[in-house]
Amino acid sequence: MAVSSNLKLTISVPCSVRDLDINQIPSAGSDDEWTTATMDGGDVPRKKLRLSKEQSRLLEESFGQNHTLNPKQKEALALQLKLRPRQVEVWFQNRRARSKLKQTEMECEYLKRWFGSLTEQNRRLQSEVEELRAMKVGPPTVISPHSCEPLPASTLRTCPRCERITTIAHGVDPAKMLASTTTSTITAAAKVGSLPALQ
DNA sequence: CATGTCAAGTTGTTAG
DNA sequence: CTAACAACTTGACATG
């Protein structure tokens, strides 16, 4: 139901708001029983429905079984709860929004923890690099993935960008090497448990 | 009284 | 085109 914003908005309000039990469906079960009031400082204030414990319990139970309702289910549930189908529909919409928000908050926490652990890991590796530099040892022995033999020092050099030891021989595609390294690093991190478990 | 919660209204998007 | 839905907003009410 889309109402143009430049139109005068109207809402449905019970005929006698004060006397009406707002948790009950209007007597004839029809919106015709409701009078309208303007939103722009209208005469009758909007009343807030508070669901009873039992109504909430049943709605939660239903939501647990299914996060959406087909029109028949909606009708049946509304009848059972003595609410209008629209109210049941709204409750489900809001409930889905709440659970999505909760999920997003959990994911946010997860990413924060992951970031923290990566920062810590990075810090440790940096200090390890510093330690090794301080030792001023000769070039490290690197085992070729192809021959399983130590590579001659002449085939090794330090990458100026990341300052890692790289090979310049054997026609190894650096992009492929990087991709496989990245994937395996993440996989290994997940195995070792440096990635916090979600939930 | 400030703040949080939640039912309900509005509007834009999308699938059928 | 329309119904269903998500995202956003509003306003009533509870609570500390």
Side-chain angles (χ1 to χ4, degrees):
Chain A
M1 182 190 71
V3 179
S4 173
S5 56
N6 56 2
L7 291 175
K8 195 171 199 181
L9 298 177
T10 59
I11 58 168
S12 296
V13 179
C15 322
S16 171
V17 174
R18 283 184 214 290
D19 299 336
L20 186 81
D21 177 352
I22 59 170
N23 283 357
Q24 295 302 307
I25 195 166
S27 52
S30 146
D31 285 349
D32 298 340
E33 291 286 312
W34 292 49
T35 59
T36 59
T38 61
M39 286 279 280
D40 50 354
D43 28 26
V44 188
R46 179 167 116 190
K47 272 285 176 181
K48 184 178 172 73
L49 165 72
R50 300 301 301 195
L51 298 172
S52 70
K53 283 250 170 69
E54 182 61 9
Q55 283 171 323
S56 296
R57 192 190 63 76
L58 268 165
L59 284 163
E60 282 292 348
E61 194 179 299
S62 181
F63 186 79
Q65 287 160 11
N66 212 333
H67 287 200
T68 52
L69 292 176
N70 62 39
K72 277 199 169 180
Q73 290 172 315
K74 194 200 300 177
E75 198 76 42
L77 195 54
L79 206 65
Q80 191 181 0
L81 295 166
K82 295 188 167 65
L83 291 171
R84 280 172 292 136
R86 170 66 186 156
Q87 290 175 304
V88 173
E89 183 183 315
V90 165
W91 187 91
F92 268 75
Q93 275 175 9
N94 286 318
R95 185 64 181 77
R96 282 194 296 272
R98 285 196 292 275
S99 55
K100 188 176 182 182
L101 177 66
K102 202 173 172 185
Q103 180 69 28
T104 305
E105 282 169 352
M106 281 169 62
E107 282 169 11
C108 182
E109 277 308 307
Y110 168 79
L111 290 172
K112 273 192 209 163
R113 279 191 290 151
W114 187 13
F115 175 76
S117 81
L118 287 176
T119 304
E120 172 60 18
Q121 194 179 348
N122 187 40
R123 195 195 57 74
R124 275 191 285 107
L125 289 170
Q126 293 279 7
S127 64
E128 201 175 316
V129 166
E130 287 306 316
E131 246 174 66
L132 290 170
R133 280 220 181 93
M135 286 167 72
K136 288 196 172 166
V137 293
T141 306
V142 175
I143 306 297
S144 163
H146 304 286
S147 62
C148 296
E149 295 291 323
L151 288 171
S154 62
T155 64
L156 304 173
R157 72 166 176 217
T158 306
C159 169
R161 199 179 282 179
C162 64
E163 298 185 14
R164 286 186 186 183
I165 304 295
T166 59
T167 62
I168 56 172
H170 306 298
V172 177
D173 178 1
K176 276 185 186 166
M177 280 190 79
L178 176 66
S180 71
T181 304
T182 310
T183 311
S184 60
T185 303
I186 293 172
T187 311
K191 272 185 187 166
V192 167
S194 66
L195 298 185
L198 188 55
Q199 282 184 337

